[in-house]
Amino acid sequence: MKLIEHKIYIVPLQFDSSKLITRATGLKYASDMTWDCDTIDHLDRHTDKLNIIDCRITEAECEFLENYISQHKTTPFMLTIADPYESKCKDHWYYKMLFRVKNMPNVTFLTKYLPAEIVKTLQDSIPEDKMVFIPYPFVDSYSSSSNFKHRRKKVIFSGSIGSIYPYRCRFRRRVKLNPLLWSKVTFLEHPGYADIGENLKHQVIGEAYIDLLSNYRFMFVSPSRCGLEFMKYRECAYARCVPIGKAPDSFSEAMSSAFLHLDFDRIYQSLQKCFSIPVDELEARSKSYYEAFAAERNPEILNKKLDAFLESRGFIE
C-alpha cells in the first residue's frame, strides 16, 4: 500500500446535497471536516489519496466502486457508515457491498456512530484496525446568544417518532398525557426528508432551526435505541440550550457533566426539578456543554484521530 498525504471525500454523481436538512453527509459534511470533495466518476484523479466514500452512493455506483476497489489495490478506500439498524439496513445495497469488500486490504471503514447492530456485526467480522469511530464534527457558524434571562422557560422538542426512538416516544407520551406540562413543552414536527423525495412539512431547518432553538432554555435530546450521538446534540450546543433527556453512549464525562438527565418514569417531577434551577446555573451549564463539544468534536481533533488510525494501518507516516 502506498503512503498517502491527502484525503478526498467522494460523493454520488447526481445527489443534491442542498436538499439535506442537516450537515450529516454530502458536501456540507466534507466541508465541516475540511476535506476536499469530488464525485465518484472522478476516482481516477485521486489514486494517490485516501478516498473517503459517502454512504449515499447509488446501487449502480456501489457496483462500480466495488469493481474499482478490486482493480486498484494500492489506492486506499474508507467507506463511511451512518445508520446501524439491522432491520432497515441489512437488505440495502450499500451495506451488502460493505460486507463484500470488508476483507480487501485497501478497504477501511469510518463509522459516524459507535458500532451497533449491523455495524457491530461488521466490526466483529474484521480485524480491529479496519474500523474507526469518527463522530460528526462541531462547526459553529450560528453565533447564538447565550443570554438565558430572555429565553422561554420551556423545553423545545423535535425529531422523528418511532420504535427506534424509545426515549422520545416516552417523553412525548408522558407530556401529552399530563395537562400540567402542556404549557412547558413546545413540539416541532419533523420536517421530513426532501433528499429522499418527501415534501417538507415546514421550513424550520438549518439556520432557521437553530434560531428557533435559541429562544428556549432547554432542548430535549436523546439517542436512539442504539445510544447514538445524533446531530441534535450539536444543534443543542449551537443554540446554547441546556440539554435535557438522555446523553448518548459516546459522550465523555466532560460532555455529560452539563447534561440534565431525566427520569423517564417520573417525567413531571424531573422537569419540575429542571425548571427550578437558577438561571445563572443554567447559563453555566449551557456554556460548559458548548465548550466540551467544541473541544472534543472540532474537525482538527477528529482529523488527528483519523490520521492516528491511518498511521497505525501504515497508510501515512
Side-chain angles (χ1 to χ4, degrees):
M1 185 70 61
K2 67 179 72 172
L3 298 179
I4 58 173
E5 296 182 4
H6 303 288
K7 308 177 184 77
I8 186 75
Y9 191 72
I10 302 297
V11 297
L13 180 58
Q14 296 183 332
F15 181 70
D16 186 357
S17 292
S18 68
K19 292 184 178 181
L20 293 168
I21 63 172
T22 73
R23 305 180 70 87
T25 190
L27 302 179
K28 294 178 181 179
Y29 170 71
S31 174
D32 287 348
M33 287 297 294
T34 70
W35 297 334
D36 292 331
C37 199
D38 205 347
T39 50
I40 195 166
D41 57 322
H42 293 156
L43 287 178
D44 280 340
R45 300 178 181 179
H46 308 293
T47 57
D48 60 338
K49 302 171 185 174
L50 173 68
N51 287 253
I52 305 174
I53 308 298
D54 188 280
C55 59
R56 294 294 192 99
I57 61 175
T58 67
E59 186 170 10
E61 288 170 338
C62 278
E63 183 178 351
F64 165 77
L65 178 66
E66 184 175 351
N67 291 331
Y68 191 93
I69 290 173
S70 66
Q71 294 167 12
H72 294 78
K73 294 182 171 58
T74 61
T75 298
F77 293 86
M78 175 167 276
L79 281 63
T80 63
I81 314 172
D83 287 348
Y85 309 114
E86 184 84 26
S87 58
K88 174 183 176 181
C89 301
K90 65 179 180 179
D91 294 324
H92 192 278
W93 60 78
Y94 184 75
Y95 289 81
K96 287 183 175 180
M97 182 194 66
L98 298 184
F99 280 89
R100 290 196 300 268
V101 304
K102 66 186 177 71
N103 293 319
M104 294 184 181
N106 55 335
V107 169
T108 54
F109 303 96
L110 183 157
T111 176
K112 299 172 183 178
Y113 301 124
L114 286 177
E117 295 195 16
I118 196 170
V119 182
K120 186 66 168 64
T121 300
L122 176 64
Q123 182 187 46
D124 290 344
S125 71
I126 57 177
E128 184 177 346
D129 64 350
K130 292 269 280 184
M131 181 180 291
V132 62
F133 164 55
I134 304 290
Y136 292 113
F138 183 88
V139 180
D140 183 11
S141 60
Y142 304 101
S143 301
S144 298
S145 169
S146 60
N147 190 334
F148 270 65
K149 294 180 176 63
H150 298 104
R151 293 186 175 213
R152 298 175 187 174
K153 191 177 178 180
K154 297 179 67 174
V155 179
I156 179 71
F157 175 103
S158 67
S160 297
I161 299 296
S163 61
I164 64 173
Y165 308 110
Y167 303 104
R168 291 182 193 174
C169 291
R170 290 178 69 183
F171 179 85
R172 186 174 182 273
R173 183 170 60 251
R174 295 297 176 93
V175 171
K176 295 286 187 180
L177 290 174
N178 190 338
L180 295 177
L181 292 177
W182 291 353
S183 64
K184 300 295 186 180
V185 181
T186 296
F187 290 96
L188 176 67
E189 186 179 11
H190 191 277
Y193 297 104
D195 57 291
I196 59 172
E198 296 179 357
N199 293 323
L200 287 180
K201 297 175 183 177
H202 58 74
Q203 293 293 327
V204 186
I205 57 178
E207 188 168 351
Y209 179 60
I210 303 301
D211 287 343
L212 175 67
L213 299 179
S214 65
N215 291 313
Y216 293 83
R217 294 185 180 182
F218 307 96
M219 179 179 176
F220 178 86
V221 276
S222 67
S224 70
R225 69 185 183 217
C226 298
L228 306 185
E229 186 183 314
F230 291 132
M231 290 293 292
K232 288 192 182 298
Y233 289 98
R234 285 152 187 73
E235 292 162 342
C236 178
Y238 292 151
R240 309 298 182 106
C241 296
V242 173
I244 70 169
K246 183 176 176 58
D249 294 343
S250 49
F251 267 17
S252 67
E253 183 177 348
M255 297 174 75
S256 295
S257 62
F259 213 95
L260 294 175
H261 294 267
L262 296 179
D263 181 343
F264 285 85
D265 293 322
R266 303 172 75 246
I267 292 295
Y268 177 79
Q269 293 85 346
S270 286
L271 286 178
Q272 289 300 100
K273 186 176 181 180
C274 294
F275 294 143
S276 70
I277 297 174
V279 66
D280 290 344
E281 181 181 335
L282 291 177
E283 197 156 11
R285 281 182 176 272
S286 167
K287 181 180 179 181
S288 174
Y289 181 67
Y290 182 96
E291 291 178 346
F293 235 118
E296 298 189 32
R297 297 294 188 257
N298 74 73
E300 182 178 358
I301 292 293
L302 298 181
N303 276 294
K304 285 182 178 178
K305 179 180 179 181
L306 178 55
D307 286 344
F309 170 80
L310 295 171
E311 185 175 358
S312 73
R313 290 277 301 170
F315 288 172
I316 62 175
E317 62 180 10

PDB file of all heavy atoms in Angstrom, residues 123-150:
ATOM      1  N   GLN A 123     -18.094  -4.952  12.331  1.00  0.00           N
ATOM      2  CA  GLN A 123     -16.864  -4.744  13.112  1.00  0.00           C
ATOM      3  C   GLN A 123     -16.328  -6.071  13.663  1.00  0.00           C
ATOM      4  O   GLN A 123     -15.115  -6.314  13.646  1.00  0.00           O
ATOM      5  CB  GLN A 123     -17.140  -3.783  14.260  1.00  0.00           C
ATOM      6  CG  GLN A 123     -15.908  -3.463  15.100  1.00  0.00           C
ATOM      7  CD  GLN A 123     -16.255  -2.652  16.336  1.00  0.00           C
ATOM      8  OE1 GLN A 123     -17.209  -2.958  17.047  1.00  0.00           O
ATOM      9  NE2 GLN A 123     -15.488  -1.599  16.592  1.00  0.00           N
ATOM     10  N   ASP A 124     -17.217  -6.908  14.133  1.00  0.00           N
ATOM     11  CA  ASP A 124     -16.803  -8.185  14.724  1.00  0.00           C
ATOM     12  C   ASP A 124     -16.248  -9.157  13.693  1.00  0.00           C
ATOM     13  O   ASP A 124     -15.592 -10.147  14.057  1.00  0.00           O
ATOM     14  CB  ASP A 124     -17.973  -8.841  15.457  1.00  0.00           C
ATOM     15  CG  ASP A 124     -18.363  -8.098  16.724  1.00  0.00           C
ATOM     16  OD1 ASP A 124     -17.555  -7.277  17.197  1.00  0.00           O
ATOM     17  OD2 ASP A 124     -19.484  -8.329  17.218  1.00  0.00           O
ATOM     18  N   SER A 125     -16.494  -8.877  12.405  1.00  0.00           N
ATOM     19  CA  SER A 125     -16.063  -9.796  11.351  1.00  0.00           C
ATOM     20  C   SER A 125     -14.751  -9.380  10.691  1.00  0.00           C
ATOM     21  O   SER A 125     -14.291 -10.049   9.758  1.00  0.00           O
ATOM     22  CB  SER A 125     -17.153  -9.925  10.287  1.00  0.00           C
ATOM     23  OG  SER A 125     -17.267  -8.731   9.526  1.00  0.00           O
ATOM     24  N   ILE A 126     -14.163  -8.276  11.169  1.00  0.00           N
ATOM     25  CA  ILE A 126     -12.934  -7.756  10.566  1.00  0.00           C
ATOM     26  C   ILE A 126     -11.895  -7.509  11.655  1.00  0.00           C
ATOM     27  O   ILE A 126     -12.232  -7.430  12.842  1.00  0.00           O
ATOM     28  CB  ILE A 126     -13.199  -6.444   9.784  1.00  0.00           C
ATOM     29  CG1 ILE A 126     -13.826  -5.397  10.692  1.00  0.00           C
ATOM     30  CG2 ILE A 126     -14.068  -6.714   8.566  1.00  0.00           C
ATOM     31  CD1 ILE A 126     -14.070  -4.050  10.039  1.00  0.00           C
ATOM     32  N   PRO A 127     -10.618  -7.381  11.285  1.00  0.00           N
ATOM     33  CA  PRO A 127      -9.600  -7.042  12.278  1.00  0.00           C
ATOM     34  C   PRO A 127      -9.886  -5.702  12.941  1.00  0.00           C
ATOM     35  O   PRO A 127     -10.550  -4.822  12.377  1.00  0.00           O
ATOM     36  CB  PRO A 127      -8.305  -6.979  11.452  1.00  0.00           C
ATOM     37  CG  PRO A 127      -8.577  -7.829  10.265  1.00  0.00           C
ATOM     38  CD  PRO A 127     -10.040  -7.659   9.963  1.00  0.00           C
ATOM     39  N   GLU A 128      -9.349  -5.520  14.124  1.00  0.00           N
ATOM     40  CA  GLU A 128      -9.621  -4.325  14.935  1.00  0.00           C
ATOM     41  C   GLU A 128      -9.204  -3.040  14.228  1.00  0.00           C
ATOM     42  O   GLU A 128      -9.808  -1.980  14.428  1.00  0.00           O
ATOM     43  CB  GLU A 128      -8.906  -4.449  16.279  1.00  0.00           C
ATOM     44  CG  GLU A 128      -9.195  -3.319  17.245  1.00  0.00           C
ATOM     45  CD  GLU A 128      -8.524  -3.527  18.588  1.00  0.00           C
ATOM     46  OE1 GLU A 128      -8.065  -4.653  18.860  1.00  0.00           O
ATOM     47  OE2 GLU A 128      -8.455  -2.561  19.371  1.00  0.00           O
ATOM     48  N   ASP A 129      -8.164  -3.116  13.403  1.00  0.00           N
ATOM     49  CA  ASP A 129      -7.630  -1.899  12.780  1.00  0.00           C
ATOM     50  C   ASP A 129      -8.277  -1.572  11.428  1.00  0.00           C
ATOM     51  O   ASP A 129      -7.721  -0.826  10.632  1.00  0.00           O
ATOM     52  CB  ASP A 129      -6.115  -2.008  12.615  1.00  0.00           C
ATOM     53  CG  ASP A 129      -5.700  -3.131  11.664  1.00  0.00           C
ATOM     54  OD1 ASP A 129      -6.573  -3.933  11.279  1.00  0.00           O
ATOM     55  OD2 ASP A 129      -4.517  -3.199  11.312  1.00  0.00           O
ATOM     56  N   LYS A 130      -9.478  -2.117  11.200  1.00  0.00           N
ATOM     57  CA  LYS A 130     -10.157  -1.841   9.922  1.00  0.00           C
ATOM     58  C   LYS A 130     -11.303  -0.826  10.071  1.00  0.00           C
ATOM     59  O   LYS A 130     -11.858  -0.378   9.067  1.00  0.00           O
ATOM     60  CB  LYS A 130     -10.736  -3.126   9.333  1.00  0.00           C
ATOM     61  CG  LYS A 130      -9.691  -4.125   8.863  1.00  0.00           C
ATOM     62  CD  LYS A 130      -9.334  -3.930   7.396  1.00  0.00           C
ATOM     63  CE  LYS A 130     -10.346  -4.547   6.473  1.00  0.00           C
ATOM     64  NZ  LYS A 130      -9.941  -4.434   5.037  1.00  0.00           N
ATOM     65  N   MET A 131     -11.695  -0.468  11.296  1.00  0.00           N
ATOM     66  CA  MET A 131     -12.814   0.445  11.504  1.00  0.00           C
ATOM     67  C   MET A 131     -12.464   1.477  12.565  1.00  0.00           C
ATOM     68  O   MET A 131     -11.871   1.143  13.598  1.00  0.00           O
ATOM     69  CB  MET A 131     -14.071  -0.322  11.928  1.00  0.00           C
ATOM     70  CG  MET A 131     -15.304   0.565  12.136  1.00  0.00           C
ATOM     71  SD  MET A 131     -16.783  -0.366  12.641  1.00  0.00           S
ATOM     72  CE  MET A 131     -17.154  -1.279  11.143  1.00  0.00           C
ATOM     73  N   VAL A 132     -12.849   2.730  12.305  1.00  0.00           N
ATOM     74  CA  VAL A 132     -12.607   3.809  13.251  1.00  0.00           C
ATOM     75  C   VAL A 132     -13.900   4.600  13.456  1.00  0.00           C
ATOM     76  O   VAL A 132     -14.668   4.821  12.516  1.00  0.00           O
ATOM     77  CB  VAL A 132     -11.470   4.746  12.763  1.00  0.00           C
ATOM     78  CG1 VAL A 132     -11.829   5.421  11.443  1.00  0.00           C
ATOM     79  CG2 VAL A 132     -11.114   5.782  13.823  1.00  0.00           C
ATOM     80  N   PHE A 133     -14.142   4.979  14.699  1.00  0.00           N
ATOM     81  CA  PHE A 133     -15.302   5.809  15.039  1.00  0.00           C
ATOM     82  C   PHE A 133     -14.879   7.274  15.022  1.00  0.00           C
ATOM     83  O   PHE A 133     -14.035   7.705  15.811  1.00  0.00           O
ATOM     84  CB  PHE A 133     -15.827   5.424  16.433  1.00  0.00           C
ATOM     85  CG  PHE A 133     -16.752   6.439  17.054  1.00  0.00           C
ATOM     86  CD1 PHE A 133     -17.891   6.869  16.387  1.00  0.00           C
ATOM     87  CD2 PHE A 133     -16.482   6.959  18.312  1.00  0.00           C
ATOM     88  CE1 PHE A 133     -18.742   7.799  16.959  1.00  0.00           C
ATOM     89  CE2 PHE A 133     -17.327   7.898  18.899  1.00  0.00           C
ATOM     90  CZ  PHE A 133     -18.463   8.313  18.225  1.00  0.00           C
ATOM     91  N   ILE A 134     -15.461   8.034  14.083  1.00  0.00           N
ATOM     92  CA  ILE A 134     -15.223   9.475  13.982  1.00  0.00           C
ATOM     93  C   ILE A 134     -16.591  10.159  14.021  1.00  0.00           C
ATOM     94  O   ILE A 134     -17.319  10.141  13.034  1.00  0.00           O
ATOM     95  CB  ILE A 134     -14.490   9.866  12.681  1.00  0.00           C
ATOM     96  CG1 ILE A 134     -13.166   9.101  12.542  1.00  0.00           C
ATOM     97  CG2 ILE A 134     -14.264  11.380  12.629  1.00  0.00           C
ATOM     98  CD1 ILE A 134     -12.094   9.528  13.524  1.00  0.00           C
ATOM     99  N   PRO A 135     -16.975  10.734  15.154  1.00  0.00           N
ATOM    100  CA  PRO A 135     -18.311  11.349  15.230  1.00  0.00           C
ATOM    101  C   PRO A 135     -18.415  12.582  14.354  1.00  0.00           C
ATOM    102  O   PRO A 135     -17.416  13.099  13.837  1.00  0.00           O
ATOM    103  CB  PRO A 135     -18.426  11.707  16.718  1.00  0.00           C
ATOM    104  CG  PRO A 135     -17.015  11.860  17.185  1.00  0.00           C
ATOM    105  CD  PRO A 135     -16.213  10.864  16.401  1.00  0.00           C
ATOM    106  N   TYR A 136     -19.626  13.064  14.203  1.00  0.00           N
ATOM    107  CA  TYR A 136     -19.848  14.269  13.405  1.00  0.00           C
ATOM    108  C   TYR A 136     -19.073  15.447  13.994  1.00  0.00           C
ATOM    109  O   TYR A 136     -18.957  15.578  15.209  1.00  0.00           O
ATOM    110  CB  TYR A 136     -21.334  14.614  13.361  1.00  0.00           C
ATOM    111  CG  TYR A 136     -22.182  13.632  12.605  1.00  0.00           C
ATOM    112  CD1 TYR A 136     -23.122  12.836  13.265  1.00  0.00           C
ATOM    113  CD2 TYR A 136     -22.063  13.487  11.229  1.00  0.00           C
ATOM    114  CE1 TYR A 136     -23.919  11.930  12.573  1.00  0.00           C
ATOM    115  CE2 TYR A 136     -22.845  12.587  10.530  1.00  0.00           C
ATOM    116  CZ  TYR A 136     -23.765  11.812  11.206  1.00  0.00           C
ATOM    117  OH  TYR A 136     -24.534  10.912  10.514  1.00  0.00           O
ATOM    118  N   PRO A 137     -18.553  16.319  13.140  1.00  0.00           N
ATOM    119  CA  PRO A 137     -17.780  17.464  13.635  1.00  0.00           C
ATOM    120  C   PRO A 137     -18.671  18.562  14.208  1.00  0.00           C
ATOM    121  O   PRO A 137     -19.859  18.659  13.886  1.00  0.00           O
ATOM    122  CB  PRO A 137     -17.055  17.964  12.380  1.00  0.00           C
ATOM    123  CG  PRO A 137     -17.981  17.586  11.261  1.00  0.00           C
ATOM    124  CD  PRO A 137     -18.593  16.270  11.666  1.00  0.00           C
ATOM    125  N   PHE A 138     -18.065  19.377  15.052  1.00  0.00           N
ATOM    126  CA  PHE A 138     -18.734  20.538  15.642  1.00  0.00           C
ATOM    127  C   PHE A 138     -18.151  21.780  14.997  1.00  0.00           C
ATOM    128  O   PHE A 138     -16.988  22.117  15.214  1.00  0.00           O
ATOM    129  CB  PHE A 138     -18.496  20.558  17.155  1.00  0.00           C
ATOM    130  CG  PHE A 138     -19.188  21.679  17.885  1.00  0.00           C
ATOM    131  CD1 PHE A 138     -20.478  21.522  18.353  1.00  0.00           C
ATOM    132  CD2 PHE A 138     -18.545  22.883  18.105  1.00  0.00           C
ATOM    133  CE1 PHE A 138     -21.120  22.547  19.035  1.00  0.00           C
ATOM    134  CE2 PHE A 138     -19.176  23.918  18.779  1.00  0.00           C
ATOM    135  CZ  PHE A 138     -20.466  23.750  19.247  1.00  0.00           C
ATOM    136  N   VAL A 139     -18.956  22.451  14.186  1.00  0.00           N
ATOM    137  CA  VAL A 139     -18.521  23.662  13.484  1.00  0.00           C
ATOM    138  C   VAL A 139     -19.626  24.698  13.658  1.00  0.00           C
ATOM    139  O   VAL A 139     -20.667  24.624  13.002  1.00  0.00           O
ATOM    140  CB  VAL A 139     -18.260  23.393  11.992  1.00  0.00           C
ATOM    141  CG1 VAL A 139     -17.796  24.676  11.293  1.00  0.00           C
ATOM    142  CG2 VAL A 139     -17.239  22.280  11.805  1.00  0.00           C
ATOM    143  N   ASP A 140     -19.411  25.666  14.541  1.00  0.00           N
ATOM    144  CA  ASP A 140     -20.449  26.635  14.873  1.00  0.00           C
ATOM    145  C   ASP A 140     -20.361  27.858  13.968  1.00  0.00           C
ATOM    146  O   ASP A 140     -19.432  28.647  14.066  1.00  0.00           O
ATOM    147  CB  ASP A 140     -20.323  27.059  16.338  1.00  0.00           C
ATOM    148  CG  ASP A 140     -21.430  28.015  16.746  1.00  0.00           C
ATOM    149  OD1 ASP A 140     -22.392  28.177  15.977  1.00  0.00           O
ATOM    150  OD2 ASP A 140     -21.328  28.602  17.842  1.00  0.00           O
ATOM    151  N   SER A 141     -21.344  27.994  13.099  1.00  0.00           N
ATOM    152  CA  SER A 141     -21.422  29.173  12.235  1.00  0.00           C
ATOM    153  C   SER A 141     -22.638  30.030  12.573  1.00  0.00           C
ATOM    154  O   SER A 141     -23.031  30.901  11.801  1.00  0.00           O
ATOM    155  CB  SER A 141     -21.501  28.743  10.760  1.00  0.00           C
ATOM    156  OG  SER A 141     -22.655  27.941  10.540  1.00  0.00           O
ATOM    157  N   TYR A 142     -23.235  29.791  13.753  1.00  0.00           N
ATOM    158  CA  TYR A 142     -24.513  30.414  14.087  1.00  0.00           C
ATOM    159  C   TYR A 142     -24.406  31.578  15.077  1.00  0.00           C
ATOM    160  O   TYR A 142     -25.190  32.513  15.028  1.00  0.00           O
ATOM    161  CB  TYR A 142     -25.480  29.362  14.643  1.00  0.00           C
ATOM    162  CG  TYR A 142     -25.682  28.211  13.695  1.00  0.00           C
ATOM    163  CD1 TYR A 142     -25.020  26.997  13.890  1.00  0.00           C
ATOM    164  CD2 TYR A 142     -26.516  28.335  12.589  1.00  0.00           C
ATOM    165  CE1 TYR A 142     -25.204  25.938  13.011  1.00  0.00           C
ATOM    166  CE2 TYR A 142     -26.696  27.275  11.700  1.00  0.00           C
ATOM    167  CZ  TYR A 142     -26.039  26.082  11.924  1.00  0.00           C
ATOM    168  OH  TYR A 142     -26.207  25.037  11.049  1.00  0.00           O
ATOM    169  N   SER A 143     -23.465  31.494  16.022  1.00  0.00           N
ATOM    170  CA  SER A 143     -23.242  32.580  16.995  1.00  0.00           C
ATOM    171  C   SER A 143     -24.517  32.943  17.749  1.00  0.00           C
ATOM    172  O   SER A 143     -24.911  34.109  17.841  1.00  0.00           O
ATOM    173  CB  SER A 143     -22.681  33.828  16.291  1.00  0.00           C
ATOM    174  OG  SER A 143     -21.470  33.522  15.641  1.00  0.00           O
ATOM    175  N   SER A 144     -25.189  31.940  18.307  1.00  0.00           N
ATOM    176  CA  SER A 144     -26.407  32.182  19.079  1.00  0.00           C
ATOM    177  C   SER A 144     -26.086  32.862  20.411  1.00  0.00           C
ATOM    178  O   SER A 144     -25.047  32.605  21.014  1.00  0.00           O
ATOM    179  CB  SER A 144     -27.143  30.861  19.354  1.00  0.00           C
ATOM    180  OG  SER A 144     -27.552  30.252  18.150  1.00  0.00           O
ATOM    181  N   SER A 145     -26.987  33.695  20.863  1.00  0.00           N
ATOM    182  CA  SER A 145     -26.822  34.364  22.156  1.00  0.00           C
ATOM    183  C   SER A 145     -27.044  33.366  23.280  1.00  0.00           C
ATOM    184  O   SER A 145     -27.905  32.489  23.199  1.00  0.00           O
ATOM    185  CB  SER A 145     -27.815  35.513  22.289  1.00  0.00           C
ATOM    186  OG  SER A 145     -27.832  36.003  23.612  1.00  0.00           O
ATOM    187  N   SER A 146     -26.271  33.504  24.354  1.00  0.00           N
ATOM    188  CA  SER A 146     -26.416  32.607  25.496  1.00  0.00           C
ATOM    189  C   SER A 146     -27.165  33.271  26.648  1.00  0.00           C
ATOM    190  O   SER A 146     -27.170  32.759  27.766  1.00  0.00           O
ATOM    191  CB  SER A 146     -25.036  32.142  25.978  1.00  0.00           C
ATOM    192  OG  SER A 146     -24.259  33.261  26.375  1.00  0.00           O
ATOM    193  N   ASN A 147     -27.786  34.422  26.405  1.00  0.00           N
ATOM    194  CA  ASN A 147     -28.493  35.151  27.455  1.00  0.00           C
ATOM    195  C   ASN A 147     -29.784  34.432  27.827  1.00  0.00           C
ATOM    196  O   ASN A 147     -30.775  34.489  27.101  1.00  0.00           O
ATOM    197  CB  ASN A 147     -28.786  36.586  27.003  1.00  0.00           C
ATOM    198  CG  ASN A 147     -29.304  37.450  28.148  1.00  0.00           C
ATOM    199  OD1 ASN A 147     -29.887  36.944  29.101  1.00  0.00           O
ATOM    200  ND2 ASN A 147     -29.072  38.738  28.044  1.00  0.00           N
ATOM    201  N   PHE A 148     -29.779  33.761  28.975  1.00  0.00           N
ATOM    202  CA  PHE A 148     -30.915  32.933  29.358  1.00  0.00           C
ATOM    203  C   PHE A 148     -32.074  33.731  29.933  1.00  0.00           C
ATOM    204  O   PHE A 148     -33.204  33.258  29.965  1.00  0.00           O
ATOM    205  CB  PHE A 148     -30.459  31.866  30.363  1.00  0.00           C
ATOM    206  CG  PHE A 148     -30.013  30.601  29.701  1.00  0.00           C
ATOM    207  CD1 PHE A 148     -28.899  30.589  28.884  1.00  0.00           C
ATOM    208  CD2 PHE A 148     -30.723  29.435  29.858  1.00  0.00           C
ATOM    209  CE1 PHE A 148     -28.495  29.432  28.257  1.00  0.00           C
ATOM    210  CE2 PHE A 148     -30.328  28.263  29.234  1.00  0.00           C
ATOM    211  CZ  PHE A 148     -29.213  28.263  28.437  1.00  0.00           C
ATOM    212  N   LYS A 149     -31.816  34.906  30.413  1.00  0.00           N
ATOM    213  CA  LYS A 149     -32.870  35.685  31.054  1.00  0.00           C
ATOM    214  C   LYS A 149     -33.988  36.050  30.080  1.00  0.00           C
ATOM    215  O   LYS A 149     -35.128  36.265  30.482  1.00  0.00           O
ATOM    216  CB  LYS A 149     -32.273  36.945  31.679  1.00  0.00           C
ATOM    217  CG  LYS A 149     -31.327  36.665  32.848  1.00  0.00           C
ATOM    218  CD  LYS A 149     -30.772  37.943  33.436  1.00  0.00           C
ATOM    219  CE  LYS A 149     -29.917  37.648  34.661  1.00  0.00           C
ATOM    220  NZ  LYS A 149     -28.730  36.842  34.335  1.00  0.00           N
ATOM    221  N   HIS A 150     -33.677  36.111  28.785  1.00  0.00           N
ATOM    222  CA  HIS A 150     -34.676  36.481  27.795  1.00  0.00           C
ATOM    223  C   HIS A 150     -35.252  35.275  27.054  1.00  0.00           C
ATOM    224  O   HIS A 150     -36.046  35.440  26.122  1.00  0.00           O
ATOM    225  CB  HIS A 150     -34.075  37.467  26.790  1.00  0.00           C
ATOM    226  CG  HIS A 150     -33.624  38.747  27.411  1.00  0.00           C
ATOM    227  ND1 HIS A 150     -32.288  39.046  27.639  1.00  0.00           N
ATOM    228  CD2 HIS A 150     -34.335  39.804  27.875  1.00  0.00           C
ATOM    229  CE1 HIS A 150     -32.201  40.230  28.202  1.00  0.00           C
ATOM    230  NE2 HIS A 150     -33.421  40.715  28.363  1.00  0.00           N
TER     231      HIS A 150
END
